[in-house]
Amino acid sequence: MRAVVQRVGSAQVEIKGKKHAAINKGLLVLIGVEDADDTEDARWLARKIATLRIFADAEGLMNLSINEVAGQVLIISQFTLHAKVKKGSRPSYIRSAHPDKAVPLYEEFIDFMHAEVKGSVRCGLFGANMQVSLVNDGPVTILIDTKNRE
């Protein structure tokens, strides 16, 4: 699984012109599922994101996690995170999992995030055309790949 984690002052997702979900201070998580992913990847990623110390403490240092700042999370599925652009100009999504595999893992990831995060966890709609808006705080943007656990 791949995730782009952004620290935000606020974020929201619209579907068909209507607000679907919104958060205030917290994390916007774009999540992509590939064929090689499994439940352990979803569990590990949720724990990693929930414990990332990327919020400022009283001294302005990034020492606090989402739970320590009572933040919220907005999760958006994004299969394009597994795009390959080595050949030509059209990205290939061959590594992205098909919905029959991706949807259950995406839903498991959401369940794990609910278990790990004290604040509210909201999400977009898998496979929908979504318009996501955010106020990136910092900016702070972290890339995480469960197949490259550095």
Side-chain angles (χ1 to χ4, degrees), residues 61-74:
L61 300 173
M62 287 196 286
N63 274 328
L64 303 177
S65 70
I66 188 77
N67 288 328
E68 294 169 305
V69 298
Q72 301 173 306
V73 178
L74 177 58

Side-chain angles (χ1 to χ4, degrees), residues 1 38-50 67 75 104-118 121:
M1 297 181 100
D38 59 23
T39 296
E40 184 51 37
D41 290 300
R43 180 180 290 115
W44 181 88
L45 185 58
R47 187 170 296 125
K48 178 59 77 174
I49 291 170
N67 288 328
I75 301 168
L105 279 174
Y106 172 71
E107 291 173 351
E108 276 188 312
F109 174 75
I110 292 169
D111 290 343
F112 289 136
M113 287 298 292
H114 277 289
E116 295 284 343
V117 175
K118 295 175 186 173
V121 174

Side-chain angles (χ1 to χ4, degrees), residues 4 6 9 19 21 23 38 40 60 70 76-77 87-88 103 124 126 133:
V4 174
Q6 296 178 300
K19 187 189 311 184
I23 62 167
D38 59 23
E40 184 51 37
I76 304 293
S77 63
K87 294 181 181 178
V103 171
F126 189 95
S133 58

Side-chain angles (χ1 to χ4, degrees), residues 11-120:
Q12 75 171 22
V13 59
E14 290 184 5
I15 301 172
K16 295 184 179 178
K18 294 185 180 178
K19 187 189 311 184
H20 181 77
I23 62 167
N24 293 312
K25 179 180 181 176
L27 299 174
L28 172 64
V29 179
L30 305 174
I31 184 81
V33 179
E34 71 174 306
D35 280 328
D37 291 331
D38 59 23
T39 296
E40 184 51 37
D41 290 300
R43 180 180 290 115
W44 181 88
L45 185 58
R47 187 170 296 125
K48 178 59 77 174
I49 291 170
T51 59
L52 279 177
R53 297 179 348 167
I54 60 173
F55 291 91
D57 63 14
E59 296 171 8
L61 300 173
M62 287 196 286
N63 274 328
L64 303 177
S65 70
I66 188 77
N67 288 328
E68 294 169 305
V69 298
Q72 301 173 306
V73 178
L74 177 58
I75 301 168
I76 304 293
S77 63
Q78 189 170 352
F79 76 94
T80 60
L81 290 178
H82 288 287
K84 290 290 198 183
V85 294
K86 186 174 183 178
K87 294 181 181 178
S89 299
R90 180 176 296 161
S92 168
Y93 304 107
I94 194 83
R95 289 181 52 197
S96 297
H98 291 281
D100 60 329
K101 177 170 186 167
V103 171
L105 279 174
Y106 172 71
E107 291 173 351
E108 276 188 312
F109 174 75
I110 292 169
D111 290 343
F112 289 136
M113 287 298 292
H114 277 289
E116 295 284 343
V117 175
K118 295 175 186 173
S120 68

